Coordinates of all heavy atoms in Angstrom, one line a residue:
P763 N 134.8 147.3 85.8 CA 134.7 148.7 85.9 C 135.4 149.2 87.1 O 135.4 148.6 88.2 CB 133.2 149.0 86.0 CG 132.6 147.7 86.4 CD 133.5 146.6 86.0
L764 N 135.9 150.4 87.0 CA 136.7 151.1 88.1 C 136.2 152.3 88.5 O 136.2 153.3 87.7 CB 138.2 151.2 87.7 CG 138.9 149.9 87.2 CD1 140.2 150.3 86.7 CD2 138.9 148.8 88.2
E765 N 135.6 152.5 89.7 CA 135.2 153.8 90.3 C 136.0 154.3 91.4 O 136.0 155.5 91.7 CB 133.7 153.6 90.8 CG 132.8 153.3 89.7 CD 132.2 154.5 88.9 OE1 132.7 155.6 89.2 OE2 131.5 154.3 87.9
S766 N 136.8 153.4 92.1 CA 137.6 153.7 93.3 C 138.8 152.9 93.3 O 139.0 151.8 92.5 CB 136.8 153.5 94.5 OG 136.4 152.1 94.6
E767 N 139.7 153.1 94.2 CA 140.9 152.4 94.4 C 140.5 150.9 94.8 O 141.2 149.9 94.5 CB 141.8 152.9 95.5 CG 142.4 154.3 95.1 CD 143.6 154.0 94.2 OE1 144.0 152.9 93.9 OE2 144.2 155.1 93.7
A768 N 139.5 150.8 95.6 CA 139.0 149.4 96.0 C 138.6 148.6 94.8 O 138.9 147.4 94.8 CB 137.8 149.6 97.0
D769 N 138.0 149.3 93.8 CA 137.6 148.6 92.6 C 138.9 148.1 91.9 O 139.0 147.1 91.3 CB 136.9 149.5 91.6 CG 135.4 149.9 92.2 OD1 135.0 149.0 93.0 OD2 134.9 150.9 91.8
V770 N 140.0 148.9 92.0 CA 141.2 148.6 91.2 C 141.8 147.3 91.9 O 142.2 146.3 91.3 CB 142.2 149.7 91.3 CG1 143.6 149.3 90.7 CG2 141.7 150.9 90.6
E771 N 141.8 147.3 93.3 CA 142.3 146.2 94.0 C 141.5 144.9 93.7 O 142.2 143.8 93.6 CB 142.3 146.4 95.5 CG 142.9 145.4 96.3 CD 144.5 145.3 96.1 OE1 145.0 146.3 95.7 OE2 144.9 144.1 96.2
R772 N 140.2 145.0 93.6 CA 139.5 143.8 93.3 C 139.7 143.3 91.9 O 139.8 142.1 91.5 CB 137.9 144.1 93.4 CG 137.1 142.9 93.2 CD 135.6 143.2 93.4 NE 135.1 144.2 92.3 CZ 134.9 145.5 92.6 NH1 135.1 146.0 93.8 NH2 134.4 146.2 91.6
A773 N 139.8 144.3 90.9 CA 140.0 144.0 89.5 C 141.3 143.3 89.2 O 141.3 142.4 88.4 CB 139.9 145.3 88.7
V774 N 142.4 143.6 89.9 CA 143.7 143.0 89.5 C 143.7 141.5 89.9 O 144.5 140.7 89.4 CB 144.9 143.7 90.2 CG1 144.9 145.1 89.8 CG2 144.7 143.5 91.8
H775 N 142.6 141.1 90.7 CA 142.6 139.6 91.0 C 141.5 138.9 90.2 O 141.5 137.7 90.2 CB 142.2 139.5 92.5 CG 143.2 139.9 93.5 ND1 143.2 141.2 94.1 CD2 144.3 139.3 94.0 CE1 144.2 141.3 94.9 NE2 144.9 140.2 94.8
Q776 N 140.8 139.7 89.4 CA 139.8 139.1 88.5 C 140.3 139.2 87.1 O 139.8 138.2 86.3 CB 138.5 139.8 88.6 CG 137.8 139.7 90.0 CD 136.6 140.4 90.2 OE1 136.0 141.0 89.2 NE2 136.0 140.5 91.3
V777 N 141.0 140.1 86.6 CA 141.4 140.3 85.3 C 142.9 139.8 85.1 O 143.8 140.4 85.8 CB 141.2 141.7 84.7 CG1 141.7 141.8 83.3 CG2 139.7 142.1 84.9
P778 N 143.2 138.9 84.2 CA 144.5 138.4 84.0 C 145.5 139.7 83.6 O 145.0 140.4 82.7 CB 144.5 137.4 82.9 CG 143.0 137.0 82.9 CD 142.2 138.2 83.3
L779 N 146.6 139.8 84.1 CA 147.6 140.8 83.8 C 148.6 140.2 82.9 O 149.0 139.1 83.1 CB 148.1 141.5 85.0 CG 147.1 142.2 85.9 CD1 147.9 142.7 87.1 CD2 146.4 143.3 85.1
P780 N 149.3 140.9 81.9 CA 149.0 142.4 81.7 C 147.6 142.7 81.2 O 147.0 141.9 80.6 CB 150.1 142.8 80.7 CG 150.4 141.5 80.0 CD 150.2 140.4 81.0
G781 N 147.2 143.9 81.5 CA 146.0 144.4 81.1 C 146.0 145.8 80.4 O 147.0 146.3 80.3
V782 N 144.8 146.2 80.1 CA 144.7 147.6 79.5 C 143.7 148.4 80.4 O 142.6 147.9 80.7 CB 144.2 147.5 78.0 CG1 144.0 148.9 77.5 CG2 145.1 146.7 77.3
M783 N 144.1 149.6 80.8 CA 143.3 150.5 81.5 C 142.9 151.6 80.6 O 143.7 152.2 79.9 CB 144.0 151.0 82.8 CG 144.2 150.0 83.9 SD 144.8 150.8 85.4 CE 143.2 151.5 86.0
K784 N 141.6 152.0 80.6 CA 141.1 153.1 79.7 C 139.9 153.7 80.4 O 139.3 153.2 81.3 CB 140.7 152.5 78.4 CG 139.7 151.5 78.4 CD 139.2 151.1 77.0 CE 140.2 150.4 76.3 NZ 139.7 149.9 74.9
L785 N 139.6 155.0 79.9 CA 138.4 155.7 80.4 C 137.1 154.9 79.8 O 137.1 154.5 78.7 CB 138.4 157.1 79.9 CG 139.5 158.0 80.5 CD1 139.7 159.3 79.7 CD2 139.1 158.4 81.9
E786 N 136.2 154.9 80.7 CA 134.9 154.2 80.4 C 134.2 154.8 79.1 O 133.7 154.2 78.3 CB 133.9 154.3 81.5 CG 134.1 153.2 82.6 CD 133.4 151.9 82.2 OE1 133.2 151.7 80.9 OE2 133.1 151.1 83.1
F787 N 134.3 156.2 79.1 CA 133.7 156.9 78.0 C 134.6 157.7 77.0 O 134.3 158.6 76.4 CB 132.6 157.9 78.6 CG 131.7 157.3 79.5 CD1 131.9 157.2 80.8 CD2 130.5 156.7 79.0 CE1 130.9 156.7 81.8 CE2 129.5 156.1 79.8 CZ 129.7 156.1 81.2
G788 N 135.9 157.2 77.1 CA 136.9 157.9 76.4 C 136.8 157.7 74.9 O 136.1 156.9 74.3
A789 N 137.7 158.5 74.2 CA 137.8 158.5 72.8 C 139.3 158.9 72.4 O 140.0 159.5 73.2 CB 136.9 159.6 72.2
G790 N 139.6 158.5 71.2 CA 140.9 158.9 70.6 C 142.2 158.2 71.4 O 143.3 158.7 71.3
A791 N 141.9 157.2 72.1 CA 142.9 156.4 72.9 C 143.6 157.3 74.0 O 144.6 156.9 74.5 CB 144.1 155.9 72.0
V792 N 143.0 158.4 74.4 CA 143.5 159.3 75.4 C 143.4 158.5 76.8 O 142.3 158.0 77.1 CB 142.8 160.5 75.5 CG1 143.3 161.4 76.6 CG2 143.0 161.4 74.1
G793 N 144.5 158.4 77.5 CA 144.5 157.8 78.8 C 144.5 156.3 78.8 O 144.5 155.6 79.8
V794 N 144.7 155.7 77.6 CA 144.7 154.2 77.5 C 146.1 153.8 77.6 O 147.1 154.3 77.0 CB 144.2 153.7 76.1 CG1 144.1 152.2 76.1 CG2 142.8 154.3 75.8
R795 N 146.3 152.7 78.6 CA 147.7 152.4 78.8 C 147.8 150.9 79.1 O 146.9 150.2 79.8 CB 148.2 153.2 80.1 CG 149.7 152.9 80.4 CD 150.1 153.8 81.5 NE 151.6 153.6 81.8 CZ 152.5 154.3 81.3 NH1 152.3 155.2 80.3 NH2 153.8 154.0 81.6
L796 N 148.9 150.2 78.8 CA 149.2 148.9 79.2 C 149.7 148.9 80.6 O 150.7 149.6 80.9 CB 150.2 148.2 78.2 CG 150.7 146.8 78.5 CD1 149.5 145.8 78.1 CD2 151.9 146.6 77.6
V797 N 149.1 148.0 81.4 CA 149.7 147.8 82.8 C 150.1 146.5 83.1 O 149.3 145.5 82.7 CB 148.5 148.3 83.8 CG1 148.3 149.7 83.8 CG2 147.2 147.6 83.4
E798 N 151.3 146.3 83.6 CA 151.9 145.1 83.8 C 151.5 144.4 85.1 O 151.5 143.1 85.2 CB 153.4 145.1 83.7 CG 153.9 145.7 82.4 CD 154.0 144.8 81.3 OE1 153.7 143.6 81.5 OE2 154.3 145.2 80.2
D799 N 151.3 145.1 86.2 CA 151.0 144.5 87.5 C 150.1 145.4 88.3 O 149.7 146.4 87.8 CB 152.4 144.4 88.2 CG 153.2 145.6 88.2 OD1 152.6 146.7 88.3 OD2 154.4 145.5 88.2
A800 N 149.8 145.0 89.4 CA 148.9 145.7 90.3 C 149.4 147.2 90.7 O 148.6 148.1 90.7 CB 148.7 144.9 91.7
A801 N 150.7 147.3 90.9 CA 151.2 148.6 91.2 C 151.0 149.6 90.0 O 150.6 150.7 90.3 CB 152.7 148.5 91.5
Q802 N 151.2 149.2 88.8 CA 150.9 150.1 87.7 C 149.5 150.4 87.5 O 149.2 151.5 87.2 CB 151.5 149.4 86.4 CG 153.0 149.4 86.3 CD 153.5 148.8 85.0 OE1 152.6 148.6 84.1 NE2 154.8 148.6 84.8
C803 N 148.6 149.4 87.9 CA 147.3 149.7 87.8 C 146.8 150.8 88.8 O 146.1 151.7 88.4 CB 146.4 148.4 88.1 SG 146.5 147.1 86.9
H804 N 147.2 150.7 90.0 CA 146.9 151.7 91.0 C 147.5 153.1 90.6 O 146.8 154.2 90.7 CB 147.4 151.3 92.4 CG 146.6 150.3 93.2 ND1 145.4 150.5 93.6 CD2 146.9 148.9 93.2 CE1 144.8 149.5 94.1 NE2 145.7 148.5 93.9
Q805 N 148.7 153.1 90.1 CA 149.4 154.3 89.8 C 148.6 155.0 88.6 O 148.4 156.2 88.6 CB 150.8 154.0 89.3 CG 151.6 155.2 88.9 CD 153.1 154.9 88.4 OE1 153.4 153.7 88.3 NE2 153.9 155.8 88.2
H806 N 148.3 154.3 87.6 CA 147.7 154.9 86.5 C 146.2 155.3 86.8 O 145.8 156.4 86.4 CB 147.5 153.9 85.3 CG 147.1 154.5 84.0 ND1 147.7 155.6 83.4 CD2 146.0 154.2 83.2 CE1 147.1 155.9 82.4 NE2 146.0 155.1 82.1
F807 N 145.5 154.6 87.7 CA 144.2 155.1 88.1 C 144.3 156.4 88.9 O 143.5 157.3 88.6 CB 143.5 154.0 89.0 CG 142.2 154.3 89.4 CD1 141.1 154.1 88.6 CD2 142.0 154.9 90.7 CE1 139.8 154.4 89.1 CE2 140.7 155.2 91.1 CZ 139.6 155.0 90.3
S808 N 145.2 156.5 89.7 CA 145.4 157.7 90.5 C 145.7 158.8 89.6 O 145.3 160.0 89.8 CB 146.5 157.5 91.6 OG 146.2 156.5 92.5
K809 N 146.6 158.6 88.6 CA 147.0 159.7 87.8 C 145.9 160.2 86.9 O 145.7 161.4 86.7 CB 148.2 159.2 86.8 CG 148.7 160.2 85.9 CD 150.0 159.8 85.2 CE 150.6 160.8 84.3 NZ 150.9 162.0 85.0
I810 N 145.1 159.3 86.4 CA 143.9 159.8 85.6 C 142.9 160.5 86.4 O 142.4 161.5 86.0 CB 143.2 158.5 84.9 CG1 144.2 157.9 83.8 CG2 141.9 158.9 84.2 CD1 144.4 158.8 82.7
A811 N 142.7 160.0 87.7 CA 141.7 160.7 88.5 C 142.2 162.0 88.9 O 141.3 162.9 89.1 CB 141.6 159.7 89.8
H812 N 143.5 162.3 88.9 CA 144.1 163.6 89.2 C 144.0 164.5 88.0 O 143.7 165.7 88.0 CB 145.5 163.4 89.7 CG 146.1 164.8 90.1 ND1 146.9 165.4 89.1 CD2 146.0 165.6 91.1 CE1 147.3 166.6 89.6 NE2 146.8 166.7 90.8
D813 N 144.5 164.0 86.8 CA 144.7 164.7 85.6 C 143.5 165.0 84.8 O 143.4 166.1 84.2 CB 145.7 164.1 84.7 CG 147.1 164.0 85.4 OD1 147.4 164.6 86.4 OD2 148.0 163.3 84.8
L814 N 142.6 164.1 84.7 CA 141.4 164.2 83.8 C 140.1 164.1 84.6 O 139.5 163.1 84.7 CB 141.5 163.1 82.7 CG 142.7 163.1 81.9 CD1 142.7 161.9 80.9 CD2 142.9 164.4 81.1
Q815 N 139.8 165.2 85.2 CA 138.6 165.2 86.1 C 137.3 165.7 85.4 O 136.2 165.3 85.9 CB 138.8 166.1 87.3 CG 140.0 165.6 88.1 CD 140.2 166.4 89.4 OE1 139.4 167.2 89.8 NE2 141.3 166.2 90.0
G816 N 137.4 166.5 84.4 CA 136.2 167.0 83.7 C 136.6 167.5 82.3 O 137.7 167.4 81.8
E817 N 135.5 167.9 81.6 CA 135.6 168.3 80.2 C 136.6 169.4 80.0 O 137.3 169.3 78.9 CB 134.2 168.8 79.8 CG 134.0 169.2 78.3 CD 134.0 168.0 77.4 OE1 133.8 166.8 77.9 OE2 134.2 168.1 76.2

Side-chain angles (χ1 to χ4, degrees):
L764 308 175
E765 296 280 355
S766 64
E767 290 283 355
D769 292 335
V770 176
E771 185 62 30
R772 184 180 68 256
V774 298
H775 293 95
Q776 295 181 4
V777 177
L779 297 178
V782 177
M783 290 188 72
K784 60 172 71 174
L785 289 164
E786 276 278 24
F787 303 95
V792 174
V794 184
R795 187 177 180 86
L796 178 70
V797 286
E798 302 279 356
D799 51 37
Q802 289 186 7
C803 291
H804 284 284
Q805 180 183 5
H806 189 58
F807 181 84
S808 299
K809 184 171 181 58
I810 293 295
H812 177 268
D813 295 348
L814 302 176
Q815 297 184 13
E817 185 72 14

